Amino acid sequence: MINLNSEIEKLLERHTVKHSDVNDIKIKFSGDGTKVSRISNFVIFSISNMSINGSLSFQEQHTFAIVECSETYDNLKKCCKPIFDQFNSVLSKRKWHIGKTLNVEYFVSADMKFIQLLLGLCGATGEYACPWCKVNKEGRSDLTRPWDYYHNPSIGRNIEDMLDSNFKKAMVVNICL
């Protein structure tokens, strides 16, 4: 693991050299597990600048941590704690001074399994598996409901739900807070 603050500073410095006229930056944090062999698993964390064209190419992805562990809730909670501590301290910093003041907005990108693990939602077969709504497993396929039922804001997850003590106990990292 390398220092996340210094990696973001390097990313922002490269951005200001190439795009000196853009002061609003979008940084994407990504995480995913990978199985390298039958007995070797890794979780990889990276950042990229989404403010420029081609930011999704592999040249713009900057890996800042590789952890040798399988992609499970307990492993993320134990092994990746220093990464999440750095990550959460960076999220509070919205303005960076790299020769000039840059406004930074953060995003998280991952596959569904990784997002569910971060939020402690027990995977796709869990009772409340959706990171965006509070519909339980039985209600997902209920066709007797009106067509706009799932568009109702009352069933969507929000910050208050994540601050709820029952939900917060399950969280690995307070990404949205």
Side-chain angles (χ1 to χ4, degrees), residues 1 6 23 44 69 77:
M1 178 175 108
S6 64
N23 293 335
I44 300 168
C69 69
K77 190 171 185 174

Side-chain angles (χ1 to χ4, degrees), residues 73 115-122 128-134 157-177:
Y73 176 82
I115 289 173
Q116 288 170 329
L117 287 173
L118 288 176
L119 296 174
L121 294 176
C122 301
Y128 294 93
C130 182
W132 297 279
C133 72
K134 297 180 275 191
R157 287 195 200 275
N158 55 32
I159 295 296
E160 289 79 26
D161 294 330
M162 293 183 184
L163 290 172
D164 178 40
S165 61
N166 294 328
F167 189 75
K168 196 170 183 178
K169 285 178 193 173
M171 289 177 59
V172 174
V173 58
N174 58 352
I175 292 172
C176 300
L177 308 177

Side-chain angles (χ1 to χ4, degrees), residues 1-14 27 29 47 62-64 86-87 89-90 93 96 98:
M1 178 175 108
I2 53 181
N3 188 307
L4 182 57
N5 272 330
S6 64
E7 283 304 300
I8 290 176
E9 285 178 5
K10 289 177 192 176
L11 186 135
L12 294 174
E13 286 171 1
R14 285 191 297 271
I27 294 179
F29 293 95
I47 57 173
H62 306 281
T63 302
F64 68 90
Q86 277 192 33
F87 181 76
S89 70
V90 164
K93 195 172 181 181
W96 291 72
I98 311 291

Side-chain angles (χ1 to χ4, degrees), residues 32-33 36 60-61 83 98 144 150-151 161 168:
D32 199 6
V36 177
E60 294 297 327
Q61 301 292 320
I83 297 166
I98 311 291
T144 62
Y150 296 103
H151 298 279
D161 294 330
K168 196 170 183 178

